[in-house]
């Protein structure tokens, strides 16, 4: 039970067209995040989908749904609370109080990969998230990555390629086959993950609202050049460590580029990505 007074501006964690997310304290003293949806027909339908899809799913790198609440037309989702906000805030938020170190960035990349690998390879039916981007990755108090926002997620039926009736998500993170044809398999998430990793390593956003596509290509070219020329000057200029960790950074960039291949069947699976990042992989681009 949450008191109405807790849904105030000062407890607001995030806000969107759907409603808002608030920090709240339950009767037992535990802190949670409550997503309160505007009572539109679409939201009521999406609410049910999200609840059905992720109820009972528990994983270190997925934000946990602890419960839900229906009161008249109000729909609320109660999640575990992530203390360090979302990854967009941590990477380039104006109010951020610290810059992520290289080790923290690498751990976040590995954590997201583990979460996605669980969704794609361990669950039955497997789940495609479809909206992987920094705003939907939360960070807990120890900076563990937690994948959030299952509003666009879909279960996979018999391993078939699915067609979206409405191509939802965020343009800069779309794979070519999703952007042009609306086709999606779990390789859509692998592609979005590749874009996300380039953002995590470079600290640059791939999305400039004026020309999203150009910026993703820019970031990719930047990573290609670094990998080809073994040049880490750009990173050094940004204050990232390059002497002792140079090889590690290049390995992560190469992994991201393998995720960004045009042909979805050539992209690695997320468990291959985990292996590539943690250094026990045979996979090459
Ligand atoms: P939407 O579907 O509108 O994108 P999200 O579920 O992504 O909604 O939540 C919007 C924002 O609210 C997130 O980007 C994050 O900043 C904040 N938020 C959401 N859930 C939590 C949580 N469990 N803990 C802390 N902040 C959260
Ligand atoms: Mg979101
Ligand atoms: Mg959403």
């Amino acid at each position: 039970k949450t008191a109405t007074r807790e849904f105030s501006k000062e407890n607001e964690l995030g806000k969107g067209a759907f409603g808002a997310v608030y920090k709240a304290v339950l009767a037992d003293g535990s802190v949670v995040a409550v997503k309160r949806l505007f009572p539109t027909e679409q939201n009521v339908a999406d609410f049910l989908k999200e609840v059905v899809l992720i109820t009972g799913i528990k994983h270190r790198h997925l934000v946990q749904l602890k419960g839900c609440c229906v009161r008249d037309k109000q729909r609320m989702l109660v999640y575990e609370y992530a203390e360090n906000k979302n990854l967009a805030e941590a990477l380039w938020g104006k109010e951020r109080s610290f810059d992520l170190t290289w080790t923290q960035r690498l751990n976040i990349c590995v954590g997201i990969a583990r979460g996605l690998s669980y969704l794609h390879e361990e669950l039955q039916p497997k789940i495609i998230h479809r909206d992987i981007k920094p705003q939907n990755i939360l960070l807990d108090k120890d900076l563990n990555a937690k994948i959030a926002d299952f509003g666009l997620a879909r279960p996979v039926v018999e391993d078939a390629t699915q067609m979206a009736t409405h191509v939802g998500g965020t343009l800069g993170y779309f794979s070519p086959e999703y952007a042009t044809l609306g086709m999606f398999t779990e390789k859509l998430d692998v592609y979005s993950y590749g874009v996300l990793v380039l953002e995590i390593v470079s600290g640059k956003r791939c999305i400039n609202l004026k020309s999203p596509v150009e910026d993703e290509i820019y970031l990719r070219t930047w990573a290609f050049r670094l990998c080809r020329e073994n040049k880490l000057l750009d990173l050094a200029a940004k204050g990232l460590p390059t002497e002792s960790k140079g090889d590690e950074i290049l390995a992560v960039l190469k992994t991201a580029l393998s995720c960004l291949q045009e042909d979805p069947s050539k992209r690695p699976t997320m468990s291959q990505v985990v292996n590539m990042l943690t250094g026990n992989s045979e996979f090459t681009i």
Side-chain angles (χ1 to χ4, degrees):
K1 274 188 199 162
T2 34
T4 316
R5 70 183 152 74
E6 297 194 287
F7 299 127
S8 64
K9 197 88 196 145
E10 74 191 81
N11 288 330
E12 208 173 87
L13 297 167
K15 202 175 172 176
F18 66 95
V21 182
Y22 300 90
K23 181 178 174 181
V25 183
L26 299 187
D28 67 0
S30 60
V31 181
V32 293
V34 180
K35 186 168 174 176
R36 190 163 72 149
L37 304 168
F38 291 132
T40 64
E41 219 166 286
Q42 186 65 44
N43 277 347
V44 170
D46 289 350
F47 165 86
L48 267 181
K49 271 194 205 139
E50 190 160 347
V51 169
V52 169
L53 198 63
I54 62 166
T55 290
I57 291 182
K58 197 171 173 180
H59 186 271
R60 206 164 112 79
H61 295 293
L62 304 179
V63 73
Q64 207 195 340
L65 181 67
K66 291 172 153 275
C68 60
C69 173
V70 177
R71 195 188 294 154
D72 301 324
K73 288 194 169 165
Q74 284 286 338
R75 296 290 183 280
M76 292 182 231
L77 296 156
V78 183
Y79 289 99
E80 73 174 296
Y81 174 58
E83 197 147 321
N84 275 300
K85 301 193 180 166
N86 67 54
L87 187 53
E89 291 285 332
L91 287 172
W92 45 65
K94 287 208 176 69
E95 288 165 31
R96 72 186 193 280
S97 51
F98 59 90
D99 274 320
L100 296 170
T101 64
W102 165 249
T103 308
Q104 287 165 341
R105 285 170 206 250
L106 179 59
N107 281 336
I108 290 168
C109 292
V110 174
I112 302 165
R114 291 208 162 109
L116 282 174
S117 145
Y118 177 76
L119 289 174
H120 293 173
E121 294 161 54
E122 285 178 49
L123 279 178
Q124 198 51 255
K126 60 186 172 191
I127 290 177
I128 307 173
H129 184 283
R130 292 211 299 170
D131 202 10
I132 292 298
K133 59 176 176 179
Q135 291 79 3
N136 288 339
I137 306 297
L138 307 180
L139 299 170
D140 74 5
K141 64 176 189 326
D142 303 317
L143 296 175
N144 287 309
K146 307 263 180 184
I147 299 171
D149 196 355
F150 287 76
L152 286 175
R154 295 289 177 271
V156 177
V157 193
E158 291 171 1
D159 268 328
T161 295
Q162 305 190 70
M163 301 297 289
T165 43
H166 164 72
V167 181
T170 309
L171 195 55
Y173 302 87
F174 285 175
S175 62
E177 72 281 2
Y178 187 61
T180 56
L181 304 169
M183 276 168 50
F184 67 97
T185 64
E186 69 276 17
K187 300 291 183 173
L188 163 61
D189 288 345
V190 176
Y191 189 95
S192 310
Y193 174 83
V195 179
L196 179 62
V197 168
L198 293 187
E199 293 187 313
I200 294 172
V201 176
S202 68
K204 293 182 177 124
R205 318 170 76 137
C206 82
I207 297 188
N208 171 337
L209 288 178
K210 287 189 204 126
S211 58
V213 175
E214 222 169 81
D215 278 18
E216 196 234 277
I217 289 169
Y218 166 79
L219 206 56
R220 209 191 307 187
T221 311
W222 167 83
F224 264 123
R225 217 190 65 231
L226 281 182
C227 290
R228 197 186 54 226
E229 300 171 10
N230 257 13
K231 259 194 197 162
L232 293 166
L233 292 175
D234 282 20
L235 292 176
K238 293 188 78 313
L240 281 169
T242 57
E243 275 162 33
S244 55
K245 305 287 184 185
D247 287 349
E248 226 171 69
I249 294 175
L250 287 178
V252 173
L253 289 177
K254 282 183 184 156
T255 306
L257 291 174
S258 77
C259 294
L260 291 170
Q261 294 176 95
E262 290 271 324
D263 179 351
S265 68
K266 287 194 179 147
R267 293 173 209 149
T269 63
M270 286 313 299
S271 58
Q272 284 173 323
V273 168
V274 172
N275 289 337
M276 289 156 89
L277 295 180
T278 53
N280 42 36
S281 165
E282 305 288 302
F283 194 93
T284 48
I285 8 178

